[in-house]
Amino acid sequence: MPEKLSNSDQILRHDWQNEEVEALYALPFSDLMYRAQTVHRANFDPNEVQVSTLLSIKTGGCAEDCGYCPQSAHHESAVKAEPLMPLDKVLENATKAKDSGASRFCMGAAWRNLKDRDLERVAAMVTGVKDLGLETCVTLGMLEEHQAKRLKDAGLDYYNHNLDTSPEYYGDIISTRTYQDRLDTLAHVRDADINVCSGGIVGMGESLTDRSGLLRSLANMPNHPQSVPINLLVQVEGTPMDGVDAMDPLMFVRTIAVARIMMPLSYVRLSAGREHMSDELQAMCFLAGANSIFYGEKLLTTDNPDTAHDQQLFERLGINTQTDTKAGEHASAA
Ligand code: SAM
Ligand code: DTB
Ligand code: SF4
């Protein structure tokens, strides 16, 4: 039976102040976990996790200068630029992902923005993946209104576009596009009736106020994103963020718990960074309300835990993987 929630935890709020978010972070750990777990149980099956598999359909050589990213042409990482992947190879990968148990297939491109000349090729990928019986997600950088509509028509269920960090810290990480650019893209996605997947990265040397600012910005959008990926920075050699001080793992768990409380109906995804997390830390993240993961041996260019290990972890924790999320059905509407 779902626990009874306090009034404040039942409401889908869009007016969070930073002090309130910081106060959640400051709760004693057990109290924070109890509150997050209570919200989680009131809204979701606590033993069910949604699994998405990623594929990089266009790798490297990106014009943006995101300080964490190995695919930026501004940094000297080992990632080599490749052209847009052909449709048959995309569908081959999607079929494998489906066979190994993924319910959603997310295609990522190292682009600043989607160009009209690539639109139809990406639309064909979306339709092809959808026809395999998978939910579809793409992340292609900035998107215009007509492009969002075309992708919706092609069968797109989710568009991933992250805010990455707080508006205040953003300028320290990226200089080639603005926070407002990101909010504008998300507005086009929402207006085209595509589910929004938007989250950020922690472990980039940000302050607690910045972590709170990221979650505040996500929750204060006109709708809570249906999916909220919380990435732990994957430090990659050659990127400016390589070598930043590692984050306290319990602070990562707190971030998941605070996201769960603030966005009670959203899927909170334990995203990049699992490769370096213990099983016990991941278990704590599920307890804090994470109910989605990236599954499959690669993220975009970096490693993710192997699928046999993830399956074993699910078994040890009694977690069932969700076979069908019925895109957006659980999504927050207000
Ligand atoms: N180029 C598109 C864009 O940035 O909008 C889509 C792909 S981009 C790689 C998608 C997201 O991956 C970024 O917004 C960032 O949040 C995440 N990401 C990239 N590199 C990462 C890293 N090293 N560690 C954690 N997350 C990372
Ligand atoms: C998201 O929030 N995380 C994913 C997905 N959306 C596209 C990407 C993580 C990338 C990690 C670094 C890499 O593998 O290149
Ligand atoms: Fe390009 Fe996306 Fe990487 Fe930024 S995060 S450099 S936009 S691929």
Side-chain angles (χ1 to χ4, degrees):
M1 274 292 284
E3 302 263 354
K4 199 167 168 2
L5 294 173
S6 72
N7 279 341
S8 62
D9 280 348
Q10 286 185 69
I11 300 164
L12 297 180
R13 287 185 52 194
H14 302 275
D15 60 351
W16 288 91
Q17 304 296 311
N18 235 46
E19 303 72 55
E20 297 174 279
V21 186
E22 287 183 35
L24 287 175
Y25 266 106
L27 285 171
F29 189 75
S30 291
D31 293 347
L32 176 61
M33 291 293 273
Y34 179 72
R35 199 156 148 193
Q37 180 64 202
T38 306
V39 171
H40 192 49
R41 281 176 182 266
N43 296 301
F44 290 97
D45 175 343
N47 302 310
E48 199 166 77
V49 166
Q50 188 279 328
V51 294
S52 296
T53 292
L54 271 170
L55 176 70
S56 179
I57 57 167
K58 160 70 188 79
T59 303
C62 183
E64 301 276 355
D65 68 352
C66 313
Y68 47 75
C69 185
Q71 304 201 70
S72 165
H74 297 255
H75 321 318
E76 301 278 332
S77 80
V79 173
K80 296 278 162 285
E82 289 168 25
L84 186 59
M85 194 179 270
L87 177 62
D88 58 345
K89 210 168 156 205
V90 173
L91 297 183
E92 207 179 286
N93 277 277
T95 306
K96 270 191 214 144
K98 190 180 183 207
D99 292 346
S100 42
S103 63
R104 189 178 309 159
F105 194 65
C106 307
M107 295 165 271
W111 284 328
R112 170 177 162 75
N113 60 292
L114 174 61
K115 308 269 184 341
D116 279 339
R117 64 166 185 264
D118 295 315
L119 179 56
E120 286 311 312
R121 283 184 65 191
V122 175
M125 292 175 192
V126 168
T127 305
V129 170
K130 185 87 179 162
D131 287 347
L132 293 173
L134 283 158
E135 289 183 330
T136 54
C137 175
V138 292
T139 178
L140 313 166
M142 291 183 284
L143 202 64
E144 290 171 35
E145 218 176 315
H146 70 280
Q147 297 173 327
K149 290 201 174 94
R150 174 66 191 105
L151 292 173
K152 171 75 182 176
D153 288 345
L156 187 64
D157 295 311
Y158 288 82
Y159 194 86
N160 167 243
H161 198 64
N162 292 337
L163 295 182
D164 278 350
T165 189
S166 67
E168 295 77 17
Y169 194 50
Y170 185 85
D172 288 22
I173 311 289
I174 299 147
S175 77
T176 48
R177 73 176 129 165
T178 65
Y179 215 72
Q180 189 58 45
D181 287 334
R182 291 182 185 249
L183 294 169
D184 291 347
T185 287
L186 291 170
H188 297 151
V189 173
R190 264 195 313 272
D191 291 348
D193 202 23
I194 298 167
N195 294 303
V196 169
C197 174
S198 188
I201 312 177
V202 292
M204 298 194 294
E206 73 285 342
S207 65
L208 180 66
T209 307
D210 293 317
R211 277 169 220 137
S212 304
L214 166 66
L215 297 179
R216 180 203 66 213
S217 301
L218 290 167
N220 287 353
M221 288 198 282
N223 299 107
H224 293 170
Q226 284 82 5
S227 163
V228 180
I230 305 292
N231 296 277
L232 177 63
L233 174 71
V234 180
Q235 298 196 7
V236 184
E237 214 181 310
T239 61
M241 300 257 109
D242 186 27
V244 298
D245 288 344
M247 185 184 188
D248 172 5
L250 292 181
M251 183 52 83
F252 185 81
V253 180
R254 283 181 182 271
T255 302
I256 299 268
V258 175
R260 165 52 65 226
I261 293 167
M262 292 173 71
M263 294 169 277
L265 297 182
S266 304
Y267 279 82
V268 175
R269 183 175 301 146
L270 170 55
S271 303
R274 288 200 303 118
E275 172 76 349
H276 301 293
M277 289 181 196
S278 68
D279 287 356
E280 293 77 11
L281 177 57
Q282 293 184 60
M284 235 190 276
C285 291
F286 294 129
L287 206 54
N291 59 349
S292 172
I293 60 161
F294 284 123
Y295 172 78
E297 272 136 44
K298 263 230 159 356
L299 290 165
L300 290 172
T301 65
T302 65
D303 291 340
N304 203 32
D306 61 62
T307 49
H309 188 96
D310 278 345
Q311 274 164 8
Q312 209 178 57
L313 177 60
F314 287 159
E315 209 168 293
R316 285 172 74 204
L317 299 177
I319 284 176
N320 307 307
T321 57
Q322 195 173 25
T323 46
D324 181 11
T325 59
K326 297 186 188 68
E329 204 168 81
H330 202 98
S332 55

